[in-house]
Amino acid sequence: MTDIMIGLEIHCQLTSLKSKLFCGCRGNYRSSKPNSNICPVCCGFPGTLPLMNKKAIEQSAMISYSLECKIPDKLMFYRKNYFYPDLPKNFQITQYNVYGLTSIGSHGRIKLNDSKVIKIRRVQLEEDPGRILYAPGIAHNANYALIDYNRAGVSLVEIVTEPDFSSPKEVRFFLNKFSSILEHIGICDTALEGAVRCDVNVSLKGGSRVEIKNVNSFKEVEKALTFEISRQTSLLARNIKIKSETRHWDEQRKITKVARTKEEEQDYRYFPEPDIPLVHLGNEFSSHIGKLIPELPDQRRSRFTESYSLSDQVSNILINSKKLADFFESCVKIYASPVEIANWIVNDLLGLIGSEEPTLLNHIKIKPSHLAELARLVDEGKINRSTGKQILTKMVETGQTPSQLLSKSESSRIIDENLISEVVEQVFKTEGSAVNDALLNSNAINFLVGKVMQVTKGRADPKIVTQLINLKLTQSRG
Ligand code: ZN
Ligand code: MN
Protein backbone atom coordinates (compact mmCIF):
# COMPACT_ATOMS: atom_id res chain seq x y z
CA MET A 1 0.00 0.00 0.00
CA THR A 2 1.30 3.42 -0.89
CA ASP A 3 -1.43 5.39 0.84
CA ILE A 4 0.15 5.13 4.26
CA MET A 5 1.97 8.10 5.76
CA ILE A 6 4.14 7.60 8.82
CA GLY A 7 6.30 10.09 10.69
CA LEU A 8 8.52 9.61 13.71
CA GLU A 9 9.47 11.63 16.73
CA ILE A 10 12.45 10.04 18.40
CA HIS A 11 13.94 10.95 21.76
CA CYS A 12 17.40 9.77 22.65
CA GLN A 13 19.41 10.52 25.75
CA LEU A 14 23.03 11.59 25.63
CA THR A 15 23.97 8.71 27.89
CA SER A 16 27.72 9.29 28.00
CA LEU A 17 27.48 12.74 29.62
CA LYS A 18 28.69 13.03 33.21
CA SER A 19 26.16 15.65 34.27
CA LYS A 20 22.64 16.76 33.41
CA LEU A 21 21.85 19.46 30.84
CA PHE A 22 21.60 22.45 33.22
CA CYS A 23 23.06 21.32 36.56
CA GLY A 24 25.79 19.19 38.08
CA CYS A 25 23.61 16.17 38.96
CA ARG A 26 24.80 12.91 37.45
CA GLY A 27 23.82 12.14 33.86
CA ASN A 28 23.67 8.46 34.78
CA TYR A 29 20.52 8.39 36.89
CA ARG A 30 19.96 4.66 36.57
CA SER A 31 20.13 2.44 39.64
CA SER A 32 20.16 5.35 42.10
CA LYS A 33 17.68 5.57 44.95
CA PRO A 34 14.55 7.46 43.78
CA ASN A 35 14.88 11.25 44.11
CA SER A 36 18.50 11.12 45.21
CA ASN A 37 20.00 12.53 41.98
CA ILE A 38 18.33 15.94 42.19
CA CYS A 39 19.18 19.53 43.11
CA PRO A 40 17.39 22.90 43.31
CA VAL A 41 18.15 23.58 39.61
CA CYS A 42 16.66 20.44 38.09
CA CYS A 43 13.75 20.66 40.53
CA GLY A 44 13.09 24.24 39.40
CA PHE A 45 13.27 25.92 42.80
CA PRO A 46 12.69 29.67 42.67
CA GLY A 47 15.85 31.72 42.32
CA THR A 48 17.90 29.02 40.61
CA LEU A 49 19.43 29.45 37.18
CA PRO A 50 20.27 26.86 34.52
CA LEU A 51 23.91 26.47 33.52
CA MET A 52 24.41 25.10 30.02
CA ASN A 53 26.29 21.81 29.54
CA LYS A 54 28.68 22.59 26.67
CA LYS A 55 29.29 18.92 25.86
CA ALA A 56 25.55 18.42 25.36
CA ILE A 57 25.55 21.09 22.65
CA GLU A 58 28.52 19.43 21.01
CA GLN A 59 27.00 15.95 21.11
CA SER A 60 23.55 16.99 19.92
CA ALA A 61 25.31 18.79 17.06
CA MET A 62 27.10 15.52 16.25
CA ILE A 63 23.72 13.83 15.82
CA SER A 64 22.56 16.73 13.72
CA TYR A 65 25.69 16.62 11.55
CA SER A 66 25.39 12.86 11.04
CA LEU A 67 21.82 13.30 9.84
CA GLU A 68 23.04 15.86 7.28
CA CYS A 69 21.17 18.65 9.05
CA LYS A 70 21.84 22.37 8.84
CA ILE A 71 23.50 23.51 12.05
CA PRO A 72 22.62 27.14 12.89
CA ASP A 73 25.10 29.76 14.05
CA LYS A 74 22.90 30.69 17.04
CA LEU A 75 20.92 28.45 19.34
CA MET A 76 17.79 29.53 21.12
CA PHE A 77 15.99 27.79 23.94
CA TYR A 78 12.27 27.96 24.67
CA ARG A 79 9.94 27.13 27.50
CA LYS A 80 7.33 24.55 26.69
CA ASN A 81 4.67 24.94 29.35
CA TYR A 82 2.50 22.13 30.53
CA PHE A 83 1.30 20.92 33.86
CA TYR A 84 2.10 17.29 34.47
CA PRO A 85 3.60 15.58 37.51
CA ASP A 86 6.74 14.43 35.68
CA LEU A 87 7.81 18.08 35.20
CA PRO A 88 9.00 19.59 38.46
CA LYS A 89 9.18 23.11 36.96
CA ASN A 90 5.87 22.91 35.07
CA PHE A 91 7.78 23.75 31.93
CA GLN A 92 10.42 21.99 29.88
CA ILE A 93 13.41 23.85 28.48
CA THR A 94 13.56 22.82 24.86
CA GLN A 95 14.04 24.26 21.38
CA TYR A 96 11.55 25.30 18.77
CA ASN A 97 12.08 27.05 15.46
CA VAL A 98 9.82 30.04 16.14
CA TYR A 99 12.10 32.89 15.11
CA GLY A 100 14.07 31.30 12.30
CA LEU A 101 16.15 28.14 12.48
CA THR A 102 17.66 28.20 15.95
CA SER A 103 17.40 24.54 16.96
CA ILE A 104 20.55 22.41 16.80
CA GLY A 105 19.51 20.93 13.47
CA SER A 106 17.00 21.15 10.64
CA HIS A 107 16.49 19.98 7.05
CA GLY A 108 18.46 16.75 7.34
CA ARG A 109 18.01 13.33 5.82
CA ILE A 110 18.72 9.64 6.07
CA LYS A 111 19.03 7.65 2.89
CA LEU A 112 17.33 4.25 3.20
CA ASN A 113 18.43 3.04 -0.22
CA ASP A 114 19.02 4.40 -3.71
CA SER A 115 15.39 5.35 -4.21
CA LYS A 116 14.18 6.30 -0.74
CA VAL A 117 15.19 9.22 1.44
CA ILE A 118 13.59 10.14 4.78
CA LYS A 119 13.75 13.85 5.49
CA ILE A 120 14.56 15.08 8.99
CA ARG A 121 12.47 18.11 9.92
CA ARG A 122 14.40 19.14 13.00
CA VAL A 123 16.74 18.07 15.78
CA GLN A 124 16.51 19.78 19.15
CA LEU A 125 18.23 19.65 22.49
CA GLU A 126 16.03 19.55 25.58
CA GLU A 127 15.75 18.23 29.12
CA ASP A 128 14.21 14.89 29.96
CA PRO A 129 11.23 14.93 32.35
CA GLY A 130 11.14 12.76 35.48
CA ARG A 131 9.60 9.31 35.62
CA ILE A 132 6.13 8.47 36.85
CA LEU A 133 5.77 5.00 38.29
CA TYR A 134 2.25 3.72 38.57
CA ALA A 135 1.42 1.15 41.19
CA PRO A 136 2.27 -2.17 39.55
CA GLY A 137 -0.39 -4.07 37.70
CA ILE A 138 -3.13 -1.49 37.90
CA ALA A 139 -1.57 1.16 35.60
CA HIS A 140 -4.01 3.95 34.84
CA ASN A 141 -6.59 2.78 37.36
CA ALA A 142 -4.19 3.33 40.22
CA ASN A 143 -5.32 6.00 42.66
CA TYR A 144 -1.76 7.06 43.29
CA ALA A 145 1.51 7.23 41.39
CA LEU A 146 5.12 7.55 42.46
CA ILE A 147 7.44 10.13 40.98
CA ASP A 148 11.18 9.86 40.56
CA TYR A 149 12.95 13.04 39.47
CA ASN A 150 16.38 11.43 39.07
CA ARG A 151 15.93 11.58 35.29
CA ALA A 152 14.58 15.15 35.24
CA GLY A 153 17.04 17.42 33.47
CA VAL A 154 19.03 14.70 31.70
CA SER A 155 20.15 15.77 28.21
CA LEU A 156 17.73 14.58 25.59
CA VAL A 157 17.78 15.01 21.83
CA GLU A 158 14.52 15.06 19.91
CA ILE A 159 14.55 14.12 16.23
CA VAL A 160 11.44 14.72 14.13
CA THR A 161 11.11 13.24 10.65
CA GLU A 162 8.77 14.30 7.86
CA PRO A 163 5.92 11.80 7.33
CA ASP A 164 7.91 10.17 4.54
CA PHE A 165 7.56 6.51 5.49
CA SER A 166 5.06 4.39 3.62
CA SER A 167 5.42 1.10 5.48
CA PRO A 168 6.39 -0.23 8.92
CA LYS A 169 9.28 -2.01 7.23
CA GLU A 170 10.79 1.27 6.08
CA VAL A 171 10.49 2.49 9.66
CA ARG A 172 12.42 -0.53 10.85
CA PHE A 173 15.18 0.05 8.27
CA PHE A 174 15.37 3.66 9.34
CA LEU A 175 15.58 2.88 13.05
CA ASN A 176 18.25 0.23 12.45
CA LYS A 177 20.30 2.72 10.53
CA PHE A 178 19.69 5.51 13.01
CA SER A 179 20.71 3.27 15.95
CA SER A 180 23.84 2.31 14.10
CA ILE A 181 24.67 6.00 13.55
CA LEU A 182 24.20 6.64 17.27
CA GLU A 183 26.42 3.69 18.12
CA HIS A 184 29.10 4.86 15.71
CA ILE A 185 29.23 8.38 17.12
CA GLY A 186 29.24 6.79 20.55
CA ILE A 187 27.06 9.21 22.47
CA CYS A 188 23.98 7.12 23.18
CA ASP A 189 23.94 3.58 24.47
CA THR A 190 20.72 2.42 22.82
CA ALA A 191 20.73 -0.79 24.86
CA LEU A 192 20.02 1.09 28.10
CA GLU A 193 16.41 0.98 29.23
CA GLY A 194 14.61 4.18 28.20
CA ALA A 195 17.63 5.64 26.37
CA VAL A 196 15.68 5.74 23.10
CA ARG A 197 11.93 6.27 22.88
CA CYS A 198 9.72 6.77 19.91
CA ASP A 199 6.41 8.44 19.14
CA VAL A 200 4.84 7.50 15.84
CA ASN A 201 2.15 9.21 13.82
CA VAL A 202 0.31 7.35 11.14
CA SER A 203 -2.48 8.20 8.75
CA LEU A 204 -4.15 6.33 5.94
CA LYS A 205 -5.61 7.97 2.86
CA GLY A 206 -9.07 9.24 3.81
CA GLY A 207 -8.38 9.10 7.57
CA SER A 208 -7.07 11.43 10.25
CA ARG A 209 -3.65 11.43 11.83
CA VAL A 210 -3.26 9.15 14.84
CA GLU A 211 -0.33 9.42 17.19
CA ILE A 212 1.08 6.48 19.13
CA LYS A 213 2.97 7.70 22.17
CA ASN A 214 5.87 6.27 24.11
CA VAL A 215 6.87 3.16 22.33
CA ASN A 216 9.74 2.30 24.61
CA SER A 217 12.02 0.39 22.33
CA PHE A 218 12.77 0.53 18.63
CA LYS A 219 11.90 -3.14 18.36
CA GLU A 220 8.30 -2.49 19.36
CA VAL A 221 7.76 0.31 16.83
CA GLU A 222 7.20 -1.94 13.84
CA LYS A 223 4.72 -4.08 15.81
CA ALA A 224 2.80 -1.05 17.06
CA LEU A 225 2.58 0.34 13.53
CA THR A 226 1.49 -2.93 11.98
CA PHE A 227 -1.28 -3.22 14.53
CA GLU A 228 -2.38 0.38 14.11
CA ILE A 229 -2.46 0.18 10.31
CA SER A 230 -4.64 -2.91 10.33
CA ARG A 231 -6.94 -1.29 12.93
CA GLN A 232 -7.37 1.80 10.75
CA THR A 233 -7.73 -0.22 7.55
CA SER A 234 -10.56 -2.24 9.02
CA LEU A 235 -12.32 0.92 10.27
CA LEU A 236 -12.07 2.54 6.85
CA ALA A 237 -13.35 -0.62 5.18
CA ARG A 238 -16.47 -0.37 7.33
CA ASN A 239 -16.83 3.35 6.58
CA ILE A 240 -16.11 4.31 10.17
CA LYS A 241 -14.39 7.66 10.53
CA ILE A 242 -10.89 7.56 12.01
CA LYS A 243 -10.60 10.07 14.84
CA SER A 244 -7.55 12.20 15.27
CA GLU A 245 -6.32 10.95 18.62
CA THR A 246 -3.39 9.88 20.74
CA ARG A 247 -3.06 6.21 21.52
CA HIS A 248 -0.74 4.17 23.70
CA TRP A 249 1.07 0.99 22.77
CA ASP A 250 0.25 -1.76 25.23
CA GLU A 251 3.41 -3.85 25.10
CA GLN A 252 1.90 -6.81 26.93
CA ARG A 253 -1.27 -7.13 24.90
CA LYS A 254 0.32 -5.91 21.63
CA ILE A 255 -2.48 -3.45 20.86
CA THR A 256 -2.81 0.33 20.75
CA LYS A 257 -5.45 1.91 22.96
CA VAL A 258 -6.80 5.41 23.21
CA ALA A 259 -5.05 7.76 25.66
CA ARG A 260 -6.10 10.97 27.39
CA THR A 261 -6.82 13.78 24.92
CA LYS A 262 -3.61 15.59 24.29
CA GLU A 263 -2.93 19.29 24.48
CA GLU A 264 -2.87 21.03 21.13
CA GLU A 265 0.45 22.59 20.19
CA GLN A 266 -0.57 26.17 20.98
CA ASP A 267 -1.50 25.07 24.48
CA TYR A 268 2.20 24.73 25.23
CA ARG A 269 2.64 28.54 25.09
CA TYR A 270 6.19 28.37 23.79
CA PHE A 271 8.21 31.46 24.60
CA PRO A 272 11.95 32.18 24.64
CA GLU A 273 13.62 30.91 27.81
CA PRO A 274 14.53 34.11 29.68
CA ASP A 275 17.24 32.45 31.78
CA ILE A 276 19.33 31.26 28.82
CA PRO A 277 20.74 33.87 26.44
CA LEU A 278 21.27 33.23 22.74
CA VAL A 279 24.09 30.73 22.32
CA HIS A 280 26.46 31.91 19.59
CA LEU A 281 28.13 28.91 18.03
CA GLY A 282 30.37 30.81 15.63
CA ASN A 283 31.49 30.07 12.07
CA GLU A 284 33.97 27.41 13.03
CA PHE A 285 31.46 25.33 14.96
CA SER A 286 30.16 23.14 12.15
CA SER A 287 33.64 22.26 10.89
CA HIS A 288 34.74 21.63 14.49
CA ILE A 289 31.86 19.14 14.84
CA GLY A 290 32.75 17.58 11.50
CA LYS A 291 36.18 16.75 12.88
CA LEU A 292 34.64 14.94 15.86
CA ILE A 293 32.57 12.64 13.65
CA PRO A 294 34.12 9.21 13.18
CA GLU A 295 33.45 7.01 10.17
CA LEU A 296 29.67 6.69 9.78
CA PRO A 297 27.74 3.57 8.73
CA ASP A 298 27.34 4.65 5.07
CA GLN A 299 31.05 5.30 4.64
CA ARG A 300 31.89 2.14 6.50
CA ARG A 301 29.63 0.10 4.24
CA SER A 302 31.35 1.45 1.12
CA ARG A 303 34.70 0.62 2.65
CA PHE A 304 33.54 -2.91 3.48
CA THR A 305 32.33 -3.57 -0.06
CA GLU A 306 35.43 -2.04 -1.63
CA SER A 307 38.33 -3.14 0.53
CA TYR A 308 36.94 -6.48 1.71
CA SER A 309 34.95 -7.34 -1.47
CA LEU A 310 31.81 -8.02 0.54
CA SER A 311 28.38 -7.92 -1.08
CA ASP A 312 26.06 -4.99 -0.31
CA GLN A 313 23.74 -7.32 1.54
CA VAL A 314 26.43 -8.77 3.79
CA SER A 315 27.94 -5.33 4.45
CA ASN A 316 24.53 -3.97 5.37
CA ILE A 317 23.94 -6.69 7.94
CA LEU A 318 27.35 -6.11 9.53
CA ILE A 319 27.03 -2.31 9.50
CA ASN A 320 23.60 -2.36 11.13
CA SER A 321 25.33 -3.00 14.41
CA LYS A 322 28.58 -1.30 15.28
CA LYS A 323 29.49 -4.15 17.63
CA LEU A 324 29.04 -6.67 14.86
CA ALA A 325 31.05 -4.60 12.37
CA ASP A 326 33.81 -4.13 14.96
CA PHE A 327 33.80 -7.85 15.71
CA PHE A 328 34.18 -8.59 12.00
CA GLU A 329 37.09 -6.19 11.60
CA SER A 330 38.85 -7.59 14.68
CA CYS A 331 38.62 -11.08 13.17
CA VAL A 332 39.97 -9.87 9.84
CA LYS A 333 42.95 -8.22 11.56
CA ILE A 334 43.87 -11.60 13.01
CA TYR A 335 43.23 -13.63 9.88
CA ALA A 336 42.81 -11.80 6.59
CA SER A 337 40.06 -13.79 4.93
CA PRO A 338 37.25 -11.21 5.00
CA VAL A 339 34.71 -12.89 2.73
CA GLU A 340 34.91 -16.18 4.61
CA ILE A 341 34.79 -14.50 8.00
CA ALA A 342 31.82 -12.37 6.99
CA ASN A 343 30.04 -15.52 5.82
CA TRP A 344 30.69 -17.25 9.11
CA ILE A 345 29.27 -14.26 10.97
CA VAL A 346 26.27 -13.51 8.78
CA ASN A 347 25.23 -17.04 7.82
CA ASP A 348 26.17 -19.02 10.88
CA LEU A 349 26.96 -16.98 13.97
CA LEU A 350 23.91 -14.70 13.71
CA GLY A 351 21.71 -17.76 13.22
CA LEU A 352 23.07 -19.21 16.43
CA ILE A 353 22.71 -16.08 18.53
CA GLY A 354 19.52 -14.77 16.88
CA SER A 355 19.98 -12.23 14.09
CA GLU A 356 17.41 -9.91 15.65
CA GLU A 357 19.66 -9.28 18.59
CA PRO A 358 23.17 -8.26 17.64
CA THR A 359 23.43 -6.87 21.17
CA LEU A 360 23.67 -10.50 22.23
CA LEU A 361 27.26 -10.31 21.04
CA ASN A 362 27.85 -8.78 24.45
CA HIS A 363 26.83 -11.95 26.16
CA ILE A 364 28.31 -14.68 24.02
CA LYS A 365 31.71 -15.93 24.91
CA ILE A 366 33.19 -16.19 21.44
CA LYS A 367 36.19 -13.95 20.76
CA PRO A 368 37.42 -12.58 17.41
CA SER A 369 40.54 -14.74 17.63
CA HIS A 370 38.33 -17.85 17.98
CA LEU A 371 36.31 -17.14 14.85
CA ALA A 372 39.47 -16.21 12.94
CA GLU A 373 40.98 -19.55 13.92
CA LEU A 374 37.87 -21.41 12.78
CA ALA A 375 37.90 -19.70 9.38
CA ARG A 376 41.59 -20.54 8.98
CA LEU A 377 41.09 -24.24 9.84
CA VAL A 378 38.35 -24.52 7.21
CA ASP A 379 40.32 -22.53 4.60
CA GLU A 380 43.32 -24.79 5.13
CA GLY A 381 41.17 -27.89 4.75
CA LYS A 382 41.95 -29.12 8.27
CA ILE A 383 38.24 -29.45 8.91
CA ASN A 384 35.32 -29.24 6.52
CA ARG A 385 32.54 -26.70 6.72
CA SER A 386 29.98 -28.90 8.41
CA THR A 387 32.44 -29.85 11.13
CA GLY A 388 33.20 -26.14 11.36
CA LYS A 389 29.54 -25.42 11.99
CA GLN A 390 29.36 -27.99 14.77
CA ILE A 391 32.44 -26.50 16.34
CA LEU A 392 31.02 -23.00 16.08
CA THR A 393 27.91 -24.07 18.00
CA LYS A 394 30.16 -25.38 20.78
CA MET A 395 32.31 -22.26 20.65
CA VAL A 396 29.25 -20.11 21.29
CA GLU A 397 28.12 -22.34 24.15
CA THR A 398 31.45 -22.86 25.89
CA GLY A 399 33.75 -20.00 24.88
CA GLN A 400 36.48 -22.53 24.05
CA THR A 401 38.75 -22.12 21.03
CA PRO A 402 38.36 -24.34 17.95
CA SER A 403 41.61 -26.19 18.70
CA GLN A 404 40.53 -26.89 22.26
CA LEU A 405 37.26 -28.30 20.97
CA LEU A 406 38.97 -30.22 18.18
CA SER A 407 41.47 -31.91 20.46
CA LYS A 408 38.52 -33.04 22.53
CA SER A 409 36.81 -34.62 19.55
CA GLU A 410 40.14 -35.80 18.07
CA SER A 411 39.95 -38.95 20.17
CA SER A 412 36.71 -39.88 18.46
CA ARG A 413 38.01 -38.95 15.00
CA ILE A 414 38.27 -41.75 12.45
CA ILE A 415 41.61 -41.72 10.67
CA ASP A 416 41.74 -45.46 10.05
CA GLU A 417 41.87 -45.80 6.25
CA ASN A 418 40.42 -49.29 6.29
CA LEU A 419 37.39 -48.18 8.24
CA ILE A 420 36.84 -45.18 6.01
CA SER A 421 37.28 -47.13 2.79
CA GLU A 422 34.60 -49.58 3.97
CA VAL A 423 32.21 -46.67 4.22
CA VAL A 424 33.35 -45.35 0.82
CA GLU A 425 32.60 -48.78 -0.74
CA GLN A 426 29.17 -48.73 0.84
CA VAL A 427 28.39 -45.20 -0.41
CA PHE A 428 29.58 -46.06 -3.95
CA LYS A 429 27.08 -48.93 -3.97
CA THR A 430 24.08 -46.92 -2.77
CA GLU A 431 24.81 -43.69 -4.67
CA GLY A 432 25.34 -45.02 -8.21
CA SER A 433 24.11 -41.96 -10.05
CA ALA A 434 26.19 -39.61 -7.91
CA VAL A 435 29.22 -41.74 -8.72
CA ASN A 436 28.46 -41.38 -12.45
CA ASP A 437 28.16 -37.61 -11.98
CA ALA A 438 31.48 -37.52 -10.19
CA LEU A 439 33.13 -39.50 -12.98
CA LEU A 440 32.05 -36.83 -15.46
CA ASN A 441 32.44 -33.75 -13.32
CA SER A 442 35.02 -33.54 -10.56
CA ASN A 443 32.95 -30.92 -8.69
CA ALA A 444 30.27 -33.51 -8.04
CA ILE A 445 32.62 -35.34 -5.69
CA ASN A 446 31.50 -33.11 -2.80
CA PHE A 447 28.20 -34.94 -2.64
CA LEU A 448 29.98 -38.26 -2.09
CA VAL A 449 32.28 -36.74 0.53
CA GLY A 450 29.19 -35.39 2.28
CA LYS A 451 27.56 -38.82 2.27
CA VAL A 452 30.60 -40.47 3.85
CA MET A 453 30.72 -37.74 6.48
CA GLN A 454 27.03 -38.29 7.14
CA VAL A 455 27.40 -42.03 7.61
CA THR A 456 30.35 -41.51 9.97
CA LYS A 457 28.45 -38.74 11.77
CA GLY A 458 31.12 -36.23 10.82
CA ARG A 459 33.90 -38.22 12.50
CA ALA A 460 35.82 -39.32 9.42
CA ASP A 461 38.85 -37.24 8.52
CA PRO A 462 37.61 -35.29 5.47
CA LYS A 463 41.08 -35.23 3.87
CA ILE A 464 41.34 -39.02 3.95
CA VAL A 465 37.76 -39.34 2.73
CA THR A 466 38.47 -37.14 -0.28
CA GLN A 467 41.68 -39.02 -1.09
CA LEU A 468 39.97 -42.42 -0.92
CA ILE A 469 37.02 -41.30 -3.04
CA ASN A 470 39.37 -39.87 -5.68
CA LEU A 471 41.34 -43.10 -5.67
CA LYS A 472 38.18 -45.14 -6.13
CA LEU A 473 37.01 -42.88 -8.97
CA THR A 474 40.37 -43.27 -10.74
CA GLN A 475 40.12 -47.04 -10.38
CA SER A 476 36.57 -46.96 -11.83
CA ARG A 477 37.76 -44.91 -14.82
CA GLY A 478 40.73 -47.14 -15.46
ZN1 ZN B 1 20.22 18.83 39.38
MN1 MN C 1 10.58 16.38 23.14
Side-chain angles (χ1 to χ4, degrees):
M1 268 216 273
T2 51
D3 296 339
I4 303 173
M5 273 168 72
I6 302 167
L8 300 182
E9 188 180 306
I10 303 166
H11 283 98
C12 57
Q13 294 175 335
L14 301 175
T15 55
S16 71
L17 290 178
K18 284 205 176 65
S19 52
K20 290 184 179 179
L21 184 52
F22 299 120
C23 64
C25 293
R26 269 173 292 114
N28 178 9
Y29 61 91
R30 291 175 177 84
S31 75
S32 307
K33 245 179 70 196
N35 298 307
S36 65
N37 184 39
I38 53 174
C39 75
V41 176
C42 53
C43 288
F45 285 6
T48 58
L49 285 171
L51 187 69
M52 195 74 210
N53 184 332
K54 202 174 156 190
K55 275 256 180 286
I57 293 182
E58 205 171 81
Q59 294 195 355
S60 58
M62 285 170 77
I63 294 183
S64 193
Y65 191 99
S66 310
L67 301 178
E68 299 180 38
C69 285
K70 268 197 195 102
I71 298 176
D73 50 9
K74 313 180 205 36
L75 289 185
M76 241 178 115
F77 287 84
Y78 288 82
R79 280 190 188 180
K80 179 182 183 179
N81 299 278
Y82 65 98
F83 185 72
Y84 206 63
D86 61 359
L87 267 192
K89 298 195 287 232
N90 293 333
F91 62 84
Q92 179 193 29
I93 301 179
T94 178
Q95 298 193 287
Y96 200 66
N97 293 327
V98 185
Y99 306 112
L101 302 177
T102 57
S103 82
I104 193 72
S106 55
H107 303 300
R109 49 183 233 144
I110 282 190
K111 216 173 138 188
L112 290 192
N113 53 48
D114 287 336
S115 56
K116 184 87 191 199
V117 166
I118 303 298
K119 297 189 287 302
I120 308 291
R121 186 180 296 169
R122 65 165 191 270
V123 178
Q124 62 192 35
L125 178 59
E126 61 189 30
E127 52 181 345
D128 209 349
R131 289 197 317 144
I132 305 179
L133 298 125
Y134 295 97
I138 38 182
H140 297 288
N141 301 323
N143 55 10
Y144 72 94
L146 301 169
I147 300 170
D148 178 7
Y149 289 129
N150 284 351
R151 192 180 76 181
V154 163
S155 306
L156 194 66
V157 176
E158 179 183 302
I159 296 111
V160 182
T161 76
E162 297 294 343
D164 287 342
F165 300 92
S166 42
S167 71
K169 203 175 146 198
E170 283 180 358
V171 172
R172 171 162 49 94
F173 283 165
F174 176 92
L175 291 176
N176 282 343
K177 189 155 183 185
F178 177 66
S179 305
S180 183
I181 291 174
L182 288 181
E183 285 175 31
H184 277 84
I185 49 184
I187 54 173
C188 173
D189 184 349
T190 57
L192 287 174
E193 190 268 322
V196 287
R197 283 112 66 184
C198 203
D199 297 345
V200 191
N201 59 70
V202 52
S203 61
L204 268 55
K205 199 174 185 179
S208 309
R209 182 169 170 270
V210 172
E211 191 173 14
I212 312 168
K213 276 283 198 194
N214 281 321
V215 187
N216 276 321
S217 79
F218 284 175
K219 257 174 65 190
E220 293 289 312
V221 172
E222 193 184 9
K223 292 178 199 155
L225 271 170
T226 306
F227 173 87
E228 184 57 23
I229 288 166
S230 68
R231 188 190 70 89
Q232 293 186 21
T233 308
S234 96
L235 287 177
L236 286 174
R238 287 176 283 147
N239 273 321
I240 302 172
K241 198 171 173 288
I242 293 168
K243 277 182 287 189
S244 170
E245 62 188 5
T246 301
R247 301 178 69 86
H248 274 286
W249 173 239
D250 184 331
E251 213 173 304
Q252 261 82 47
R253 291 162 64 203
K254 306 287 175 211
I255 56 167
T256 64
K257 51 189 188 189
V258 69
R260 74 188 157 91
T261 28
K262 205 187 162 279
E263 302 82 1
E264 291 299 319
E265 271 216 331
Q266 58 267 32
D267 291 341
Y268 288 132
R269 290 171 293 124
Y270 281 99
F271 65 81
E273 167 60 58
D275 289 339
I276 301 177
L278 264 184
V279 181
H280 290 270
L281 297 174
N283 316 330
E284 304 294 306
F285 184 71
S286 194
S287 62
H288 161 69
I289 293 300
K291 286 184 201 120
L292 300 178
I293 304 282
E295 184 182 44
L296 292 173
D298 273 346
Q299 300 159 317
R300 199 174 192 190
R301 193 193 41 244
S302 316
R303 183 165 63 78
F304 276 22
T305 51
E306 278 157 31
S307 44
Y308 298 131
S309 313
L310 302 184
S311 70
D312 274 346
Q313 198 205 356
V314 167
S315 306
N316 268 329
I317 294 172
L318 293 174
I319 295 303
N320 254 337
S321 152
K322 178 175 186 290
K323 290 203 176 84
L324 203 58
D326 289 349
F327 183 83
F328 163 74
E329 292 213 271
S330 309
C331 294
V332 171
K333 269 198 197 113
I334 299 166
Y335 175 55
S337 179
V339 175
E340 276 306 308
I341 285 172
N343 281 338
W344 279 108
I345 293 176
V346 170
N347 298 329
D348 302 292
L349 186 60
L350 284 184
L352 289 171
I353 63 174
S355 55
E356 290 292 303
E357 281 288 352
T359 48
L360 277 178
L361 264 186
N362 295 340
H363 309 298
I364 62 164
K365 298 165 181 160
I366 180 168
K367 298 207 166 54
S369 58
H370 300 182
L371 193 73
E373 188 189 337
L374 182 74
R376 188 199 297 265
L377 287 168
V378 175
D379 281 355
E380 289 172 354
K382 299 227 166 87
I383 55 174
N384 67 9
R385 224 188 129 78
S386 75
T387 310
K389 276 188 189 184
Q390 290 166 14
I391 287 178
L392 183 66
T393 311
K394 291 194 187 117
M395 284 161 63
V396 172
E397 285 163 6
T398 63
Q400 287 183 297
T401 67
S403 37
Q404 281 169 332
L405 290 162
L406 272 174
S407 68
K408 250 189 204 168
S409 64
E410 203 79 315
S411 47
S412 64
R413 158 155 292 202
I414 305 172
I415 45 168
D416 183 329
E417 293 196 12
N418 290 333
L419 269 177
I420 295 175
S421 80
E422 267 175 40
V423 181
V424 170
E425 292 286 342
Q426 187 192 325
V427 167
F428 266 62
K429 270 182 204 141
T430 51
E431 303 293 337
S433 70
V435 172
N436 285 335
D437 289 348
L439 284 169
L440 298 169
N441 174 3
S442 57
N443 289 330
I445 182 183
N446 291 336
F447 178 83
L448 294 169
V449 175
K451 275 283 159 194
V452 175
M453 296 308 289
Q454 201 183 337
V455 173
T456 60
K457 299 198 170 68
R459 287 165 57 215
D461 185 303
K463 254 194 181 158
I464 302 176
V465 173
T466 313
Q467 279 166 6
L468 290 176
I469 288 176
N470 273 324
L471 183 69
K472 187 111 178 82
L473 286 171
T474 320
Q475 286 166 352
S476 310
R477 281 196 198 98

